[in-house]
Amino acid sequence: MKLRIISAILLVVIFVPFLLIGELPFAIFMAILGVAGLYELIKVRESRNKFPALLKFFAYIIVIGLSLHNLNSIEFQFNFDYRVMSGLIFIFLAPMILINDSKKYNLNDALFLIGSTLFIGLSFNLLIIVRNFDINYIIYLLLITTITDTFALLTGKLIGKHKLCPKISPNKTIEGLVGGILMGTFVTTSFYFTVILIYL
């Protein structure tokens, strides 16, 4: 738990200045986090089978490109070009023909890379768009996850007795779930009505 708290504090100390500055520094920081997230996903998947190095390189580049797409937009809307999707599918499916060895690279690997790059790249791109539109909106989104997770952890540690799903996550408790949901809902709803709603 101490390691988790220290990691959270370090993340806040590093993240908050970029959040406050916004614009290009925030966008670059989001792209870096996107690459780090993809690295972790690939690392987990590669415990079973290694990806070709060149395809991993392309995946990182694509995540950066997707994250920084339309980074100067201040409109609260999202656009995605079908040509990007077509190119993405081609980049990861075509090597199956060239490699021609299902043990080294197969359809499951290709779909994993397509899904991972899309999910991570577009997620961080949306965070950039939301930040450009209004900092209060991204604070609201971050509060939902951080408050819920924090109070789920604290409630579970203090009064948690009944296991939620021990086979999947042995430390999660029903009390922690309830505490996280209640406090997450209360804090974020209060923030919405006292900060965001007055500007609408």
Side-chain angles (χ1 to χ4, degrees):
M1 184 175 177
K2 288 182 180 180
L3 181 60
R4 191 172 180 178
I5 293 173
I6 293 171
S7 300
I9 292 172
L10 287 174
L11 182 61
V12 169
V13 170
I14 296 171
F15 178 75
V16 169
F18 284 101
L19 178 64
L20 295 175
I21 295 170
E23 298 181 348
L24 185 59
F26 179 75
I28 293 174
F29 184 61
M30 289 294 99
I32 292 171
L33 288 182
V35 170
L38 180 61
Y39 171 80
E40 289 299 324
L41 275 180
I42 290 177
K43 185 173 153 184
V44 171
R45 181 60 186 266
E46 285 191 322
S47 61
R48 289 181 288 170
N49 185 36
K50 297 288 183 182
F51 290 114
L54 185 60
L55 290 179
K56 288 194 288 185
F57 173 77
F58 281 139
Y60 293 131
I61 295 299
I62 290 168
V63 162
I64 293 172
L66 289 175
S67 298
L68 298 179
H69 172 68
N70 204 22
L71 62 90
N72 293 319
S73 174
I74 58 173
E75 297 182 5
F76 200 26
Q77 63 181 17
F78 175 75
N79 298 311
F80 186 63
D81 195 327
Y82 71 91
R83 290 170 295 184
V84 175
M85 184 65 181
S86 301
L88 186 65
I89 293 173
F90 176 78
I91 288 171
F92 292 118
L93 287 182
M96 290 174 54
I97 301 172
L98 299 174
I99 296 173
N100 196 27
D101 186 346
S102 61
K103 291 182 179 179
K104 292 182 178 179
Y105 189 70
N106 53 50
L107 181 60
N108 287 334
D109 297 330
L111 293 176
F112 175 85
L113 289 175
I114 292 170
S116 298
T117 52
L118 272 176
F119 174 73
I120 294 175
L122 296 182
S123 296
F124 282 98
N125 180 246
L126 287 170
L127 287 175
I128 293 170
I129 291 174
V130 173
R131 171 61 185 87
N132 289 344
F133 179 75
D134 190 334
I135 190 173
N136 290 324
Y137 279 78
I138 195 167
I139 291 174
Y140 172 69
L141 292 176
L142 294 172
L143 279 177
I144 293 173
T145 54
T146 53
I147 295 298
T148 301
D149 186 58
T150 300
F151 279 92
L153 175 65
L154 292 176
T155 307
K157 288 288 183 183
L158 292 174
I159 60 173
K161 293 180 180 179
H162 303 88
K163 296 295 182 182
L164 178 64
C165 195
K167 290 185 179 180
I168 297 175
S169 185
N171 294 324
K172 297 290 189 298
T173 63
I174 295 175
E175 292 83 0
L177 173 66
V178 174
I181 291 174
L182 290 177
M183 288 305 298
T185 303
F186 173 74
V187 173
T188 54
T189 302
S190 300
F191 180 85
Y192 180 83
F193 280 104
T194 57
V195 178
I196 294 179
L197 198 60
I198 61 174
Y199 294 108
L200 296 179

